[in-house]
Amino acid sequence: MKVGVAYDVIRWEERAIIEAIKKLGHDVRPIQVNKKIFWLTGVNGFSELDFVIQRCVSFYRALASTAIFEEQGTTVVNSFNVIRDCEDKLYTTLKLARNSIPVPRTAVSFSREGCVNVAEELGYPLVVKPIYGSWGRMVSRALDKDSLLEIIEFREYMQSPYFKVHYLQEYVDKPNRDIRAFYFWGEVPAAIYRVSSSWKTNTALGGVAVEAELDDELSEIVKKSGEVMGGGVLGIDILESRNERYLVSEVNAIPEFRNTVRVTGKDLAKIMIETTINNIKK
């Protein structure tokens, strides 16, 4: 097969994916989207590709280039709809909750007064997140009313309009770790704990990756979450509370996996390409 790999910054993951495609005997075409012109009114030379793996770090580059690939007839993993829905935390939480997948108690408010009312219902501390973003950036913890109002005031002076959408979530008292599980086309090939003494456990913020073994309940939560969000290749973040509740916090449509490969020894790039090809051939 002829496989495209779309990227803007080439990281360890993109190199691993390109190498896996070659080792499996397929043709690979790297596409650096930030150095390419995409014609909306003409052809861009992608018609010979069987599919494209989308790996842009920038959400907007990923979404825009995926729209072009798809509208001009090329299959993309993940699809435009999956990337869009997973990036928007508001929509992700809404969609998971509507499909009876356990998530933290969450509300959205467009005013300071509304945020205070939500906090009275959820209690302190509570978490305030941007609806777009990754790596734990701009995620804040309000310990009381004063700190909540300071966070909201800061957000309302930000230029980006999405900071005026205040996403407020219960604080889950987790055991110094959360779970990143991978969903590839209905299967769960690997999972890790992200361990940290900080309340933010993202590996980008210093969390340590440790291999995790998922029980049947967790595996089913991962599989159902992946299906609800549209399938494909996903990274699913799960919180485990101290009273043993499992709660899905986020779903990532372009997940990083270097640390998972390092601690589990599983070749996720190879598994990703093999399972994707098998599903495209169906």
Side-chain angles (χ1 to χ4, degrees):
M1 301 189 84
K2 294 182 179 179
V3 184
V5 179
Y7 66 94
D8 47 9
V9 178
I10 192 156
R11 302 166 293 178
W12 183 93
E13 285 86 352
E14 288 69 54
R15 292 190 181 93
I17 289 168
I18 290 169
E19 192 61 28
I21 294 168
K22 292 177 180 177
K23 286 183 177 179
L24 288 167
H26 304 287
D27 294 332
V28 62
R29 178 177 170 185
I31 305 167
Q32 189 168 6
V33 301
N34 50 326
K35 292 190 176 181
K36 181 170 179 58
I37 295 171
F38 290 83
W39 287 100
L40 308 187
T41 54
V43 296
N44 289 292
F46 304 125
S47 60
E48 79 280 7
L49 298 176
D50 292 288
F51 66 94
V52 171
I53 295 286
Q54 179 57 259
R55 293 295 309 176
C56 282
V57 175
S58 163
F59 162 63
Y60 298 102
R61 287 176 183 153
L63 198 65
S65 59
T66 297
I68 295 166
F69 289 130
E70 288 186 344
E71 290 301 319
Q72 295 187 349
T74 302
T75 298
V76 186
V77 179
N78 287 308
S79 70
F80 178 92
N81 288 344
V82 170
I83 294 170
R84 178 199 61 198
D85 294 352
C86 291
E87 176 66 19
D88 188 325
K89 294 181 179 66
L90 184 160
Y91 190 69
T92 298
T93 303
L94 189 66
K95 196 166 186 177
L96 294 173
R98 192 178 69 218
N99 286 277
S100 302
I101 293 171
V103 295
R105 294 178 68 203
T106 308
V108 165
S109 175
F110 302 98
S111 70
R112 299 187 193 190
E113 181 183 5
C115 291
V116 171
N117 292 336
V118 170
E120 290 175 354
E121 178 72 21
L122 292 180
Y124 293 100
L126 78 159
V127 177
V128 185
K129 294 182 179 181
I131 57 172
Y132 300 116
S134 55
W135 301 320
R137 294 173 300 191
M138 299 297 293
V139 177
S140 304
R141 181 172 56 170
L143 302 178
D144 50 32
K145 182 178 177 180
D146 286 343
S147 60
L148 174 63
L149 289 174
E150 288 173 358
I151 292 166
I152 299 305
E153 180 181 20
F154 177 77
R155 289 167 58 89
E156 289 186 340
Y157 279 103
M158 300 288 285
Q159 289 187 346
S160 297
Y162 68 81
F163 279 109
K164 280 69 172 177
V165 181
H166 305 303
Y167 174 104
L168 308 167
Q169 193 168 74
E170 71 169 304
Y171 174 74
V172 178
D173 184 19
K174 56 192 179 185
N176 296 324
R177 69 185 188 189
D178 69 359
I179 299 164
R180 161 62 63 87
F182 290 86
Y183 169 97
F184 290 179
W185 302 102
E187 300 298 327
V188 185
I192 57 170
Y193 292 119
R194 299 185 296 190
V195 182
S196 176
S197 57
S198 169
W199 71 278
K200 293 184 186 181
T201 50
N202 308 69
T203 54
L205 298 176
V208 176
V210 178
E211 184 172 9
E213 294 292 336
L214 304 190
D215 58 24
D216 290 341
E217 179 187 0
L218 264 175
S219 292
E220 282 306 307
I221 289 173
V222 173
K223 290 177 182 179
K224 188 174 180 182
S225 298
E227 291 164 6
V228 164
M229 295 310 299
V233 174
L234 303 169
I236 297 174
D237 295 341
I238 300 171
L239 307 176
E240 48 179 343
S241 67
R242 294 188 187 274
N243 61 1
E244 298 183 342
R245 285 189 305 158
Y246 292 129
L247 303 166
V248 178
S249 61
E250 296 181 16
V251 180
N252 300 273
I254 306 176
E256 296 171 281
F257 53 87
R258 179 178 184 175
N259 287 321
T260 303
V261 171
R262 178 175 56 81
V263 300
T264 67
K266 295 182 179 179
D267 191 342
L268 289 185
K270 179 182 178 183
I271 298 169
M272 179 191 301
I273 299 304
E274 287 179 328
T275 55
T276 297
I277 288 174
N278 288 340
N279 277 271
I280 286 176
K281 285 182 175 179
K282 287 181 179 179

